[in-house]
Amino acid sequence: MAAHLKKRVYEEFTKVVQQQHEDLSSKKLRLTKPSKSAALHVDLCKATSPADALQYLLQFARKPVEVESVEGVVRILLEHYYKENDASVRLKIASLLGLLSKTAGFSPDCIMDDAINTLQNEKSHQVLAQLLDTLLVIGTKLPENPSVRMRLVEVACKHLTDSSHGVRNKCLQLIGCLGPVEKGAAKEAESQAAKDVQKIIGDHFHDQDPRVRTAAIKAMLQLHERGLKLQQAIYSRACKLLADDYEQVRSAAVQLIWVLSQLYPESIVPIPSSNEEIRLVDDAFGKICHMVSDGSWVVRVQAAKLLGSMQQVSSHFLEQTLDKKLMSDLRRKRTAHERAKELYSSGEFSSGRKWGDDAPKEEIDTGAVNLIESGACGAFVHGLEDEMYEVRIAAVEALCMLAQSSPSFAEKCLDFLVDMFNDEIEEVRLQSIHTMRKISNNITLREDQLDTVLAVLEDSSRDIREALHELLCCTNVSTKEGIHLALVELLKNLTKYPTDRESIWKCLKFLGSRHPTLVLPLVPELLSTHPFFDTPEPDMDDPAYIAVLVLIFNAAKSCPTMPALFSDHTFRHYAYLRDSLSHLVPPLRLPGRKLVSSAVSPSITPHEDPSQQFLQQSLERVYNFQHLDPQGIQELLEFTIRDLQRLGELQSELAGMADFTATYLQCQLLLIKALQEKLWNVAAPLYLKQNALASAAAKQILEETYKMEFMYSGVESRQVVIIHHMRLQAKALQLIVTARTTRGVEPLFGMCEKFLQEVDSFQRCFISELPHMQGSFVDKLLDLMPRLVTSKPSEVVKILQTTLRQSTFLHLPLPEQLHRATANIIEPTGESDNPLRFTSGLVVALDVDATLEHVQDPQGTVKVQVLYPDGQAQVIHPKPADFRNPGPGRHRLITQVYLSHTAWTEPCQIEVRLLLAYNSNRSKASTRLPKSTWSESLEALPPSENGIEGTIPFSKPVKVYIMPKPARR
Amino acid sequence: GAGQDVGRSCILVSIAGKNVMLDCGMHMGYNDDRRFPDFSYITQNGRLTDFLDCVIISHFHLDHCGALPYFSEMVGYDGPIYMTHPTKAICPILLEDYRKITVDKKGETNFFTSQMIKDCMKKVVAVHLHQTVQVDEELEIKAYYAGHVLGAAMFQIKVGCESVVYTGDYNMTPDRHLGAAWIDKCRPDLLISESTYATTIRDSKRCRERDFLKKVHETVERGGKVLIPVFALGRAQELCILLETFWERMNLKAPIYFSTGLTEKANHYYKLFITWTNQKIRKTFVQRNMFEFKHIKAFDRAFADNPGPMVVFATPGMLHAGQSLQIFRKWAGNEKNMVIMPGYCVQGTVGHKILSGQRKLEMEGRQMLEVKMQVEYMSFSAHADAKGIMQLIRQAEPRNVLLVHGEAKKMEFLKQKIEQEFHVSCFMPANGETTTILTNPCIPVDISLGLLKRETAIGPLPDAKKPKLMHGTLLMKDNSFRLVSPEQALKELGLAEHQLRFTCRVHIQDPRKEHETVLRVYNHLKGILKDYSVQHLPDGSITVESILIQATAHSEDQGTKVLLVSWTYQDEELGSYLTSLLKKGLPQSTP
């Protein structure tokens, strides 16, 4: 029976069968082929007017054409093409030809000659352009046929003299895409026919039509992309194009210049007006900088973006971009930045400005002032002040890239970046904060700059504040006043926006550990200790006080003299915080305090090694338990699980690993318990209790295996096999339990069939892994497969039971990195006693804010679940835009959940939690197919496997108090 | 007006026979006749309407439009006046205000009345940005965005192919509520540009804004009150937006007030003309109109005594009278308070005094006022600086530049720079001076399509960049020019066609028979003129294209053959070439 079954499965779903299918259909096609093209032929002949013909063609274009019949259709179309007088119909035919030659599997070289022939007699420019487009398609379909390409290029060259811009456009495009790239290969052909593609294209740089000019530059860029080395001679011509009247031309020219500057950075070009010469990259840089003040914003954006990637430019030029000489009435004036710097260096800070403080100082020589410099002067100053925020963002990005490669430039651009923190558009502010973070390794903030940076902490946008916290995490501050200032502002922020608590603590943690020496002199003040008097003990639950302590403890980590300044309660608080906020408070060596020193950590030496070892050891112990008695095994497992869980809590780096193994062992433990022999031998009436236990165990194992498979990132196929294996065992257990409880054989047939199918698919999916599974359940099962498929359900069950019991426990190899997906709902906090009141029948929006860690593709998997007190559950799919990605592996969900219910008499709590949705064939376990082949794999899989979808709750539920009021009439 | 001077902008342009007046402003500094431009310059006798084709007002500042009712109603002008929509809306408010101050407060007579302002505004034609308005058949004007204030525009005036761009006042750096001036590469013959800040290059506006916000913020946090004296329009709105967004961003609660009256009215117009503002306001307008201030409320006199922090915008800007001075007197005594002067103050005003550091002021009634509050100066100005002016010139690529609306000394510097950088001539006439600029007018000529096609078919592809030689007949008829083919010209003029033929005799020493000579000539020509069709006709003549060559023996000397070369006028070039060729003689005889 099962054999038959298996065969059927194969027949229906395997590739072999599909092949047959194809054969069949192709046979059919051969039959219908003439009829299909004939139908078109008839249609076209029937058409009385061009409009009719066009209609037929349009209809025809909607239907796909099989590979085999393409050629026939093409012939008919061509035939009709020659007869047709109306240009619009010919145009449609030409475009159809292009479409048809795109058909996968069809080799268009057979229709190329015809297409080229049609070109010769064509009068309409539009049709010509379309035909060239078709040729382009044909050419790109035949990449490894140089002679065809040569021919096409030749054709294109011939039509370059056409009077219509559309035709010339297409010709250039064709040459750009198909022109010969490598010099050596077809030297002869090249020299005679398509002499020098670059020269041909270059000639069209001065075409009268701007569209053709653009196309020429684009074609040149296309050639470059395909690997042709552009000649340096083009540079001077491209420079002239920068002054073109049309923005597309300028935009393309900027790109071309950039390409050339990357190709020939070191060659020397003369400066037109003088005898001097400079490096090409510098010259190009100057030219592109000039374009930052172009009239069209599209060009400005383009120029600003490209500036960022010109890293070979010499520092002299680079620094000019930030230079803008101020003057007032012909006298030199200092910029506000310079003044701020001076104030700072003279030791005076934050003086109120008087009128005339910025009064111009020295006279400047009128001749020396260059108002419109040809060089790079002030490009970024202009870019950052641009009207369009797109340009500003591009400028900030470019600034970032350049600053990353040049520390001195980073130092210089700091003032400008800090200024951008006050931009009117939030995106720009955010971008500049991110930029600052990226270059923060190269810079140290001056106090006045820090002041401006910190002022942004009061921003009402959470994104901005959090970006700023991230920035502060990795900034260098120069003075202790700076640290103090930062702390004060952060505390201010904390009181204003209490929800920022976590982020502020984290920020202070890094701030402290980066500047231990600067924090040291501040300690007495921060802890408000007094040399003679005892001060009152601060409130331990005050977030602000915790913030201060986090700063101090992290600084104390590398500053051994600091603990001497602590008072008694500080040590107590340390112990408390070390336990409750272990991720923020580092282990400290505290002299003479036995309270802390011994218990947790005797040293600051790296911890990973011993705990890693511990993990390995405990696992090995478990895997070698075969010789133990069942009782012993159970105990050992229980202990190990407990150890692992504790380890996970203590060592955050190993948490994923420990949890993962603990879960696995838990499954094993459950399985062992469920299979305990003595319980199975009891008489039938007592099954009940036994069944309840076993089926519960099976159910739990199933759940746990799904968790293992989908909640951890970094799971490799080796683990997936074992997880699936465990699941298979659970299913076997389920089968056994049901077999023993249900009467009659009929339902069992179906179940057995299903189970065997699963075994089968398991075998197919993991065929490569099977050799590693010696002695396992599935290994034995597969040995018995021939027997199983022929035997009755009752026998199957029996076999299963014995195999289950005899099978060995599989060793779970651990991957390098394993992280458990976690979610933490920050908002709603669930602490409010005030119910959210709303009129029943209407909706109320609940803001949900959660952090997700190690979730792959959260947009697709994370859902919000709302549980109402009446048991009603609602699953909400957040919009993709609600997810932000603040860092690798971390996501943030900020969304609104709409609640509604009928009227209640009194307020009640609802539960909000996050779910992780999974779909068993999405990960298609073993194979881990890349996304692109996803649809194919779907087809290849038996439908029985598609079904398993489900959700795993992976956050703590949060209770929200709501109260739908009855509507008032 | 406005020649080497600021204020009283009024420029007269004569372009291709059209007269256009640009702006019609008043001068702030004078209270006599000199406050208005001298319109007798335009024409001594005869009505202005006959002489001027149109008047263009660039924006609503009084130094650009203040004299308009006087000019149109009292001097008398009935022609069209062009301005943008926002200018048209706000202009009468300002004029009315100005009138009130002059007539009601200063008690002047012989000034325009409210009715005159209304009548004057009826003559105004409003234009949109980038809309080309045909004033009459030849004269067209087009407005470009200029920043500066709401509705400020630059105007391009074009007659035939001659054009002038007048910038009015403009700003090349965007601010909180307006964008930057922009112009396309229109290559005018003349660019008339303002040059208020000809010798200044300004610092980034961001620093200024930040300083401003920081000061306000600090004072408010201390619990102090901030007074910002402003003029009703322009900067006031920018600062309002600035503070409003800052309040929004920082979640501040302290109230902001602006004085009622003019500002309120103006804000209303700002709300309406969102399309004239900058990118940010235009983009967020769907959610919320930025000028619908959330935090800024109208001010009442009683509020000044309220405890707690607040920010007040009050008019006028120089603290010389009115509400701002009243509030200043109330608050001056407290060192927690602050006054921020956002603009320039004329000498003699309270504003100027406190800015120059005076701490004790003598008010009217011999009262002494001690100023304890902090005094800050912030310059927010919306004119293009030297770099901005250069940038605009680069964008527009004019052939000549003319500087107005600035001080002579500063202009001199800029002029020199412009000439040096762009190699275009630059002028800076004083008031009453006329500058004549020579242009190279091109005269458009209509050409019949048939002729164009025929002519372009000859020779290589047309290239727009290069001029091309064409043959045709130029017809000047009814004040229009047309290029037509000769046949058509003849037909139209009703003339018969005359054939003009040149004939020429060339003597050749050749003793042979006539037909042999002909043959030799034929072979010779055939050898040289490979590209032309050379034929030997049976009647013994040779044709080269349409040129006929016949040979006869000289009547006296048989050894000399006379070659008769005859060609039509059209073949002049080839014909003369042939004769010169034949005159050189045949190559030494080949047997």
Side-chain angles (χ1 to χ4, degrees), chain A residues 73-92:
Chain A
V73 172
V74 166
R75 294 269 163 257
I76 288 168
L77 282 176
L78 279 171
E79 200 178 301
H80 195 78
Y81 179 92
Y82 291 122
K83 284 189 281 184
E84 184 58 57
N85 292 323
D86 188 80
S88 59
V89 178
R90 286 206 306 272
L91 182 72
K92 184 67 204 168

Side-chain angles (χ1 to χ4, degrees), chain A residues 161 208 213 243-245 250 290 293-295 324-330 335-337 352-353 355 366-367 369-373 377 382 384-390 392 419-425 429 451-452 455-456 458-460 492 496-497, chain B residues 173-176 179-180 182 185 187 199-207 210-211 214-215 217 221 248-252 278-280 282-283 352 355-356 375-378 385-387 390-391 394-395 410 413-414 417 421-422 461-465:
Chain A
T161 49
Q208 56 168 330
R213 290 199 292 272
D244 201 277
D245 281 9
R250 290 199 301 266
H290 203 55
S293 49
D294 190 85
K324 187 179 175 186
K325 288 199 179 57
L326 300 194
M327 59 174 193
S328 169
D329 290 347
L330 285 178
T335 60
H337 292 149
R353 198 204 298 176
W355 190 42
T366 46
V369 182
N370 203 5
L371 279 182
I372 186 154
E373 297 85 354
C377 265
H382 284 291
L384 294 177
E385 273 187 49
D386 200 274
E387 184 185 1
M388 312 297 281
Y389 82 93
E390 291 91 342
R392 296 200 297 266
D419 276 352
M420 294 307 285
F421 284 16
N422 284 319
D423 197 272
E424 54 190 343
I425 305 247
R429 295 202 293 268
D451 197 38
T452 327
V456 188
E458 286 188 50
D459 203 294
S460 59
K492 233 196 239 174
K496 204 160 175 184
Y497 306 99
Chain B
T173 43
D175 63 31
R176 285 284 168 155
W182 181 86
K185 251 185 214 181
R187 300 201 174 91
T199 54
T200 304
I201 300 176
R202 264 176 304 165
D203 198 359
S204 137
K205 71 180 164 100
R206 259 172 246 285
C207 297
R210 201 185 55 214
D211 275 359
K214 203 170 135 193
K215 291 214 166 104
H217 190 187
E221 266 195 345
E248 186 95 24
R249 252 181 74 191
M250 296 304 181
N251 241 336
L252 297 179
N278 72 2
Q279 188 193 19
K280 157 100 177 169
R282 268 181 285 142
K283 287 225 163 126
H352 188 262
L355 277 181
S356 47
V375 179
E376 296 288 345
Y377 172 75
M378 292 272 147
D385 63 0
K387 272 210 148 174
M390 298 303 263
Q391 206 181 334
R394 189 160 78 92
Q395 270 184 20
K410 297 179 180 177
F413 164 76
L414 191 66
K417 283 289 154 197
E421 302 273 352
F422 296 105
L461 254 193
D463 192 341
K465 295 267 170 75

Side-chain angles (χ1 to χ4, degrees), chain A residues 945-963:
Chain A
E945 290 203 349
N946 294 0
I948 309 153
E949 275 184 48
T951 49
I952 309 167
F954 74 128
S955 77
K956 286 196 193 115
V958 172
K959 292 200 167 105
V960 182
Y961 217 31
I962 63 163
M963 170 65 193

